[in-house]
Amino acid sequence: QVPLVESGGGLVQAGDSLRLSCAASGRTFSTRTTAWFRQAPGKDREFVAELSWLGGNMYYADFVKGRFAISRDNAKNTLYLQMTSLQPEDTAVYYCANRVSGSPGTTTALTDFRSWGQGTQVTVSS
């Protein structure tokens, strides 16, 4: 599968906002759902949010606590992650990936996802 391409990361201060983008390299997302994950230094990659391309259903990790919002632009074949009230603990490389197995809202195992991109670095200073 063609890797996805993440962008939009950067260095911000605590309390700032960022919007990440995930593009399908010119192709339509050929999947039911696409998700955002993140990996902080020395930690495992963890689920952040997931969105259904057809129904628009959204799923979030508990730690998001209303600060992050996942959305899509079908015309641009792009998935977004709007992040607000960023904190230093949000510092990580953020990845997007397509779900190929399992059910949204029930499983978030990395093995259920494919087409991982290179990620985009988000650094939040205190």
Side-chain angles (χ1 to χ4, degrees):
Q1 296 191 9
V2 178
L4 301 174
V5 180
E6 304 93 341
S7 62
L11 172 62
V12 297
Q13 294 184 336
D16 285 350
S17 301
L18 271 179
R19 188 178 77 162
L20 306 183
S21 300
C22 170
S25 299
R27 295 186 174 186
T28 301
F29 279 89
S30 57
T31 181
R32 294 176 300 154
T33 72
T34 302
W36 285 99
F37 287 77
R38 70 184 188 182
Q39 187 165 17
K43 295 187 177 181
D44 294 334
R45 193 169 300 188
E46 63 179 352
F47 172 82
V48 176
E50 185 171 5
L51 180 139
S52 166
W53 286 93
L54 293 180
N57 294 331
M58 294 171 284
Y59 308 87
Y60 293 97
D62 290 341
F63 65 78
V64 168
K65 297 179 181 178
R67 299 184 299 126
F68 295 0
I70 191 170
S71 63
R72 71 193 190 280
D73 185 328
N74 289 8
K76 295 182 178 180
N77 296 327
T78 301
L79 181 77
Y80 301 101
L81 184 68
Q82 178 68 49
M83 305 185 295
T84 62
S85 300
L86 285 163
Q87 299 301 315
E89 52 265 34
D90 295 315
T91 294
V93 178
Y94 285 72
Y95 302 89
C96 57
N98 292 329
R99 178 180 288 279
V100 296
S101 61
S103 299
T106 60
T107 64
T108 58
L110 301 184
T111 52
D112 287 334
F113 295 86
R114 295 287 185 274
S115 302
W116 297 91
Q118 293 299 309
T120 185
Q121 175 71 49
V122 172
T123 303
V124 185
S125 63
S126 58

